Amino acid sequence: MKSVSIVLLFAILACVHGESEELPLAKPCNATACQLPDCRCSDTDIPGGLQPRHTPQFVLLTFDDAISELNTQTYRSMLYGRVNKNQCPIGVTFYMQHEYTDYTMVNELYNQGYEIALHSISHRTPQDFWRNATYDQLMREIGDQKQQIAMFANIPASTITGVRSPFLQMSGNNTFKMMKSAGLTYDLSWPTTRFTNPGLWPYTLDYRSTQDCVVSPCPTASFPGSWVIPMIAWTDLGGFPCSMADACFFQPDTEEGWYQFIIQNFERHYLGNRAPFGFYIHEAFIRPRPHVWRAMERFLDTINNINDIFMVNAKEVIDWVRDPVPINEYAKKECRRTVPSACTGRSCPPLFNPANEKTYYMRVCESCPRNHPWVDNPLGL
Ligand SMILES: *[C@@H]1O[C@H](CO)[C@@H](O)[C@H](O)[C@H]1NC(C)=O
Ligand SMILES: *[C@@H]1O[C@H](CO)[C@@H](O)[C@H](O)[C@H]1NC(C)=O
Ligand SMILES: *[C@@H]1O[C@H](CO)[C@@H](O)[C@H](O)[C@H]1NC(C)=O
Ligand SMILES: [Zn+2]
């Protein structure tokens, strides 16, 4: 009798333990139950049932990887002072890695009103590391990066809500489990080559995603309230899809060619269901290619002069999807405001990182860490 009840007790404990580990499987979306602002099925319908001509065309320009003095020069020249046609300053989002970042520049970009988002501490290779990454590894590489940026760039942690996985390599459920624990709202790493025309609008993972899984594994569990901004592929000159503009294989080689190339990809959105247009690129691609740089500036000049096009921070797209209002109302809204955050720049003494045996020369706001900040010691204590 006693041994039976002990066996039973163990069985119950094992079961409870198992349940806390097992995530609920996402079910097909129930459009009656899944309603804005907190839930949206994955589909190509315009939020709020708006007509395309009443829907703001959002443009998401994003830059990845380290933020340095050198690439900030490009950002200053290309982006600072730009406003949308409604006179609100443009938004741009930076998915930043810790390694090689100059945090005084992060502070500067933040004060320009741009969005700072996560792209891991180490951005380590190989890509397979990210595919296999456990929840725990992702917490240490990405979850911990939030406090790290807040500390060294002296910006509020609460403003950091987005993530893009290195190499766009998610680790399925683990990525979204990490996001939940780290208080992140959205992911912008999931490419789609199937839902490009009409484009897939951002959606939540309460229910099963219908999005194609281009870089597996993709999440299949239910993550209520977690948003996906699909990376809608461009089409290159050979007709092949590319998730990032600089990764397109068949590219133009002149300024006019690039300008037309951007416009053609843009028009698929603008003349279609107006799903947010992603312009995802690395500064290191632009700097040595004046023809790309000039074409981009021409494109930005063009869209900054059109009433129904808005360059915004990625998280502002989620805000709009949660509360979709027509263009005339949207254009009259108050502009985004950023509370300025001070930075007393410090050039830190060389810091040795035993993990990779490299020495780093960090620049940070306020005070230098004693040790090199890295995975497992994000604040360099
Ligand atoms: C994700 O979670 C679901 C639901 O628990 C499960 O069926 C699926 O196997 C998980 N995926 C991976 C890659 O672990
Ligand atoms: C969908 O959700 C509604 C409202 O919660 C519910 O009444 C209905 O039974 C659900 N349908 C299915 C197929 O689960
Ligand atoms: C990732 O997992 C695969 C399959 O289990 C394994 O072959 C590979 O060595 C792993 N790679 C890394 C970097 O962990
Ligand atoms: Zn990257």
Side-chain angles (χ1 to χ4, degrees):
M1 186 60 192
K2 199 169 192 179
S3 67
V4 168
S5 59
I6 285 172
V7 167
L8 204 68
L9 181 66
F10 273 108
I12 290 166
L13 284 175
C15 193
V16 167
H17 184 71
E19 263 171 21
S20 70
E21 297 289 297
E22 186 85 353
L23 294 159
L25 185 66
K27 300 195 178 80
C29 201
N30 178 342
T32 316
C34 183
Q35 301 262 355
L36 294 174
D38 295 322
C39 188
R40 208 185 107 83
C41 299
S42 56
D43 59 38
T44 58
D45 297 347
I46 301 176
L50 294 176
Q51 295 294 314
R53 68 178 185 283
H54 296 143
T55 306
Q57 176 63 64
F58 294 111
V59 174
L60 296 183
L61 176 61
T62 75
F63 294 94
D64 289 7
D65 304 342
I67 295 174
S68 64
E69 163 101 55
L70 191 61
N71 56 37
T72 302
Q73 288 170 16
T74 304
Y75 305 142
R76 287 178 187 141
S77 150
M78 182 181 287
L79 308 172
Y80 286 18
R82 276 188 188 278
V83 289
N84 291 312
K85 192 68 199 288
N86 69 344
Q87 299 309 312
C88 288
I90 64 162
V92 183
T93 307
F94 295 86
Y95 295 90
M96 59 161 284
Q97 70 181 49
H98 160 73
E99 192 180 28
Y100 304 123
T101 281
D102 177 338
Y103 284 92
T104 66
M105 297 296 117
V106 180
N107 179 275
E108 178 178 316
L109 295 170
Y110 173 82
N111 280 313
Q112 286 292 316
Y114 306 143
E115 178 179 346
I116 305 298
L118 308 178
H119 193 48
S120 86
I121 290 176
S122 77
H123 205 301
R124 70 180 67 181
T125 54
Q127 185 172 337
D128 250 16
F129 169 83
W130 300 98
R131 175 200 293 266
N132 296 359
T134 61
Y135 161 77
D136 196 55
Q137 286 172 318
L138 291 174
M139 279 305 284
R140 289 181 288 154
E141 275 279 6
I142 298 174
D144 285 356
Q145 198 195 359
K146 190 170 163 178
Q147 294 308 326
Q148 183 182 52
I149 298 172
M151 166 110 155
F152 295 121
N154 195 34
I155 67 175
S158 59
T159 62
I160 303 172
T161 60
V163 59
R164 172 173 283 157
S165 302
F167 313 106
L168 312 184
Q169 177 66 66
M170 294 187 295
S171 177
N173 298 335
N174 296 339
T175 297
F176 287 86
K177 211 174 144 194
M178 173 278 290
M179 285 169 58
K180 196 165 191 149
S181 301
L184 302 172
T185 312
Y186 77 89
D187 175 86
L188 185 36
S189 329
W190 189 344
T192 177
T193 58
R194 200 174 136 208
F195 298 98
T196 57
N197 192 18
L200 189 56
W201 275 85
Y203 61 91
T204 65
L205 284 181
D206 296 59
Y207 292 93
R208 187 188 302 164
S209 173
T210 55
Q211 187 174 345
D212 44 329
C213 187
V214 178
V215 187
S216 67
C218 296
T220 53
S222 165
F223 296 96
S226 286
W227 288 85
V228 173
I229 304 180
M231 296 181 77
I232 298 175
W234 285 24
T235 304
D236 77 6
L237 297 182
F240 298 99
C242 27
S243 305
M244 312 261 312
D246 49 12
C248 294
F249 190 80
F250 293 102
Q251 287 180 8
D253 48 18
T254 62
E255 177 192 328
E256 182 60 24
W258 255 92
Y259 180 72
Q260 294 303 335
F261 180 52
I262 300 167
I263 291 283
Q264 274 159 24
N265 280 290
F266 174 72
E267 284 188 341
R268 202 177 306 116
H269 294 245
Y270 188 53
L271 307 178
N273 73 341
R274 299 214 167 170
F277 176 65
F279 196 144
Y280 309 132
I281 199 160
H282 296 76
E283 188 275 344
F285 179 83
I286 302 167
R287 199 188 323 137
R289 294 178 180 79
H291 64 287
V292 176
W293 186 321
R294 286 194 302 264
M296 270 185 82
E297 292 198 318
R298 267 176 71 189
F299 174 69
L300 300 183
D301 290 347
T302 302
I303 61 173
N304 292 163
N305 272 299
I306 299 178
N307 283 322
D308 52 6
I309 306 179
F310 304 88
M311 284 180 73
V312 295
N313 291 338
K315 66 178 169 193
E316 292 180 283
V317 167
I318 309 273
D319 294 341
W320 183 86
V321 172
R322 290 170 58 91
D323 177 22
V325 295
I327 292 167
N328 54 0
E329 201 174 318
Y330 180 77
K332 283 188 228 130
K333 278 195 162 188
E334 230 184 295
C335 302
R336 166 188 68 239
R337 258 204 233 132
T338 303
V339 179
S341 177
C343 177
T344 307
R346 311 257 180 229
S347 295
C348 302
L351 294 168
F352 181 71
N353 178 6
N356 60 11
E357 305 200 316
K358 285 189 195 166
T359 297
Y360 293 88
Y361 298 83
M362 284 182 71
R363 274 180 59 77
V364 304
C365 298
E366 313 318 323
S367 56
C368 287
R370 285 214 286 155
N371 294 293
H372 186 253
W374 199 245
V375 181
D376 291 329
N377 185 11
L379 305 182
L381 303 176

